[in-house]
Amino acid sequence: HTDALLVKKLDPSKAVPVTIVLDLDRNSYPMRSAVGSSEWAIIVAASVATHMIGQRQPVGLYTNGRDPLADSPASPVPQRNGQEHLMAILSLLARVQMQPCDAAVADWLPAQVSNVPWGSTLLVITPHLDERSLWVLHAAYRRGTNVLVLICAQQADFHLLRARSQRLGVEVHSVAWESDLKEMVNG
């Protein structure tokens, strides 16, 4: 009725902000597959960030990896959305490197997850989930955060860990292989 072209832009009805926590502590990775597993973890993080920002959802990134550009631990990337923000995340993921960390993930993680807004999803990508880290993630769950862990390397006690984590409100998936990730997404 206006004799002009109108564009209706649809926004998602609900924001599902995601904070990705990428564990790049060299001591956490199996010695034989450290390089391959850490590269796979970075690919998984980049894929999740790309997908979520493509859905117009805010994404943040925390990692204990080393940023060679700054010659220091990588700076946190706060939750935002948009293509420019995605390019900042992908740029960091393209250059971040494993490093041996002084603090265990269970010691480093509480400071990272304490800033995650209520109702957000915390996505932890790690080669190994231990008991202490699981309890830190359970505490985040109790504060109102949805917690999802993607284990990017083989973990011997995975089925026991998965059963225990479900009781603690933490969803855990093994994504050591690309087929595992496809199965998780499709199933």
PDB file of all heavy atoms in Angstrom, residues 89-102:
ATOM      1  N   ILE A  89      37.085 -13.319  16.637  1.00  0.00           N
ATOM      2  CA  ILE A  89      37.215 -14.638  17.262  1.00  0.00           C
ATOM      3  C   ILE A  89      38.034 -15.563  16.369  1.00  0.00           C
ATOM      4  O   ILE A  89      38.971 -16.233  16.831  1.00  0.00           O
ATOM      5  CB  ILE A  89      35.832 -15.238  17.567  1.00  0.00           C
ATOM      6  CG1 ILE A  89      35.168 -14.485  18.712  1.00  0.00           C
ATOM      7  CG2 ILE A  89      35.943 -16.727  17.912  1.00  0.00           C
ATOM      8  CD1 ILE A  89      33.733 -14.903  18.997  1.00  0.00           C
ATOM      9  N   LEU A  90      37.704 -15.615  15.086  1.00  0.00           N
ATOM     10  CA  LEU A  90      38.419 -16.504  14.166  1.00  0.00           C
ATOM     11  C   LEU A  90      39.884 -16.109  14.021  1.00  0.00           C
ATOM     12  O   LEU A  90      40.760 -16.963  13.895  1.00  0.00           O
ATOM     13  CB  LEU A  90      37.724 -16.535  12.801  1.00  0.00           C
ATOM     14  CG  LEU A  90      36.324 -17.148  12.783  1.00  0.00           C
ATOM     15  CD1 LEU A  90      35.728 -17.081  11.389  1.00  0.00           C
ATOM     16  CD2 LEU A  90      36.324 -18.567  13.318  1.00  0.00           C
ATOM     17  N   SER A  91      40.150 -14.821  14.062  1.00  0.00           N
ATOM     18  CA  SER A  91      41.533 -14.347  13.991  1.00  0.00           C
ATOM     19  C   SER A  91      42.337 -14.821  15.201  1.00  0.00           C
ATOM     20  O   SER A  91      43.472 -15.292  15.065  1.00  0.00           O
ATOM     21  CB  SER A  91      41.549 -12.822  13.908  1.00  0.00           C
ATOM     22  OG  SER A  91      42.862 -12.335  13.924  1.00  0.00           O
ATOM     23  N   LEU A  92      41.734 -14.716  16.377  1.00  0.00           N
ATOM     24  CA  LEU A  92      42.405 -15.205  17.582  1.00  0.00           C
ATOM     25  C   LEU A  92      42.606 -16.721  17.512  1.00  0.00           C
ATOM     26  O   LEU A  92      43.683 -17.231  17.807  1.00  0.00           O
ATOM     27  CB  LEU A  92      41.612 -14.839  18.835  1.00  0.00           C
ATOM     28  CG  LEU A  92      42.157 -15.399  20.158  1.00  0.00           C
ATOM     29  CD1 LEU A  92      43.579 -14.902  20.419  1.00  0.00           C
ATOM     30  CD2 LEU A  92      41.245 -15.028  21.310  1.00  0.00           C
ATOM     31  N   LEU A  93      41.579 -17.447  17.084  1.00  0.00           N
ATOM     32  CA  LEU A  93      41.687 -18.903  17.001  1.00  0.00           C
ATOM     33  C   LEU A  93      42.720 -19.340  15.963  1.00  0.00           C
ATOM     34  O   LEU A  93      43.351 -20.390  16.113  1.00  0.00           O
ATOM     35  CB  LEU A  93      40.330 -19.525  16.686  1.00  0.00           C
ATOM     36  CG  LEU A  93      39.305 -19.466  17.817  1.00  0.00           C
ATOM     37  CD1 LEU A  93      37.944 -19.941  17.336  1.00  0.00           C
ATOM     38  CD2 LEU A  93      39.772 -20.285  19.013  1.00  0.00           C
ATOM     39  N   ALA A  94      42.939 -18.542  14.930  1.00  0.00           N
ATOM     40  CA  ALA A  94      43.915 -18.887  13.902  1.00  0.00           C
ATOM     41  C   ALA A  94      45.350 -18.787  14.409  1.00  0.00           C
ATOM     42  O   ALA A  94      46.233 -19.480  13.909  1.00  0.00           O
ATOM     43  CB  ALA A  94      43.736 -17.989  12.681  1.00  0.00           C
ATOM     44  N   ARG A  95      45.560 -17.956  15.416  1.00  0.00           N
ATOM     45  CA  ARG A  95      46.938 -17.758  15.872  1.00  0.00           C
ATOM     46  C   ARG A  95      47.222 -18.308  17.269  1.00  0.00           C
ATOM     47  O   ARG A  95      48.378 -18.416  17.657  1.00  0.00           O
ATOM     48  CB  ARG A  95      47.305 -16.288  15.794  1.00  0.00           C
ATOM     49  CG  ARG A  95      46.572 -15.388  16.728  1.00  0.00           C
ATOM     50  CD  ARG A  95      47.025 -13.930  16.595  1.00  0.00           C
ATOM     51  NE  ARG A  95      46.366 -13.106  17.579  1.00  0.00           N
ATOM     52  CZ  ARG A  95      45.247 -12.432  17.380  1.00  0.00           C
ATOM     53  NH1 ARG A  95      44.660 -12.460  16.203  1.00  0.00           N
ATOM     54  NH2 ARG A  95      44.723 -11.713  18.348  1.00  0.00           N
ATOM     55  N   VAL A  96      46.187 -18.659  18.033  1.00  0.00           N
ATOM     56  CA  VAL A  96      46.402 -19.106  19.406  1.00  0.00           C
ATOM     57  C   VAL A  96      47.163 -20.436  19.408  1.00  0.00           C
ATOM     58  O   VAL A  96      47.010 -21.256  18.498  1.00  0.00           O
ATOM     59  CB  VAL A  96      45.063 -19.202  20.171  1.00  0.00           C
ATOM     60  CG1 VAL A  96      44.228 -20.380  19.696  1.00  0.00           C
ATOM     61  CG2 VAL A  96      45.287 -19.261  21.670  1.00  0.00           C
ATOM     62  N   GLN A  97      48.006 -20.616  20.423  1.00  0.00           N
ATOM     63  CA  GLN A  97      48.853 -21.806  20.510  1.00  0.00           C
ATOM     64  C   GLN A  97      48.738 -22.452  21.877  1.00  0.00           C
ATOM     65  O   GLN A  97      48.458 -21.777  22.875  1.00  0.00           O
ATOM     66  CB  GLN A  97      50.316 -21.424  20.281  1.00  0.00           C
ATOM     67  CG  GLN A  97      50.580 -20.783  18.951  1.00  0.00           C
ATOM     68  CD  GLN A  97      51.996 -20.241  18.863  1.00  0.00           C
ATOM     69  OE1 GLN A  97      52.682 -20.049  19.862  1.00  0.00           O
ATOM     70  NE2 GLN A  97      52.443 -19.968  17.643  1.00  0.00           N
ATOM     71  N   MET A  98      49.009 -23.753  21.903  1.00  0.00           N
ATOM     72  CA  MET A  98      49.090 -24.449  23.193  1.00  0.00           C
ATOM     73  C   MET A  98      50.264 -23.873  23.979  1.00  0.00           C
ATOM     74  O   MET A  98      51.241 -23.406  23.396  1.00  0.00           O
ATOM     75  CB  MET A  98      49.386 -25.946  22.987  1.00  0.00           C
ATOM     76  CG  MET A  98      48.227 -26.805  22.742  1.00  0.00           C
ATOM     77  SD  MET A  98      48.672 -28.561  22.844  1.00  0.00           S
ATOM     78  CE  MET A  98      50.044 -28.710  21.730  1.00  0.00           C
ATOM     79  N   GLN A  99      50.161 -23.977  25.269  1.00  0.00           N
ATOM     80  CA  GLN A  99      51.269 -23.601  26.139  1.00  0.00           C
ATOM     81  C   GLN A  99      51.147 -24.383  27.432  1.00  0.00           C
ATOM     82  O   GLN A  99      50.036 -24.720  27.853  1.00  0.00           O
ATOM     83  CB  GLN A  99      51.276 -22.107  26.419  1.00  0.00           C
ATOM     84  CG  GLN A  99      50.132 -21.627  27.299  1.00  0.00           C
ATOM     85  CD  GLN A  99      50.275 -20.156  27.651  1.00  0.00           C
ATOM     86  OE1 GLN A  99      51.290 -19.526  27.390  1.00  0.00           O
ATOM     87  NE2 GLN A  99      49.244 -19.608  28.263  1.00  0.00           N
ATOM     88  N   PRO A 100      52.255 -24.709  28.068  1.00  0.00           N
ATOM     89  CA  PRO A 100      52.150 -25.343  29.382  1.00  0.00           C
ATOM     90  C   PRO A 100      51.686 -24.288  30.397  1.00  0.00           C
ATOM     91  O   PRO A 100      52.220 -23.188  30.440  1.00  0.00           O
ATOM     92  CB  PRO A 100      53.569 -25.818  29.685  1.00  0.00           C
ATOM     93  CG  PRO A 100      54.444 -25.124  28.707  1.00  0.00           C
ATOM     94  CD  PRO A 100      53.611 -24.594  27.592  1.00  0.00           C
ATOM     95  N   CYS A 101      50.660 -24.601  31.136  1.00  0.00           N
ATOM     96  CA  CYS A 101      50.091 -23.645  32.090  1.00  0.00           C
ATOM     97  C   CYS A 101      50.498 -24.021  33.505  1.00  0.00           C
ATOM     98  O   CYS A 101      50.548 -25.199  33.852  1.00  0.00           O
ATOM     99  CB  CYS A 101      48.567 -23.617  31.970  1.00  0.00           C
ATOM    100  SG  CYS A 101      47.998 -23.065  30.359  1.00  0.00           S
ATOM    101  N   ASP A 102      50.754 -23.003  34.314  1.00  0.00           N
ATOM    102  CA  ASP A 102      51.112 -23.229  35.716  1.00  0.00           C
ATOM    103  C   ASP A 102      49.908 -23.713  36.505  1.00  0.00           C
ATOM    104  O   ASP A 102      50.026 -24.566  37.372  1.00  0.00           O
ATOM    105  CB  ASP A 102      51.656 -21.946  36.347  1.00  0.00           C
ATOM    106  CG  ASP A 102      52.953 -21.494  35.686  1.00  0.00           C
ATOM    107  OD1 ASP A 102      53.679 -22.367  35.168  1.00  0.00           O
ATOM    108  OD2 ASP A 102      53.221 -20.291  35.667  1.00  0.00           O
TER     109      ASP A 102
END
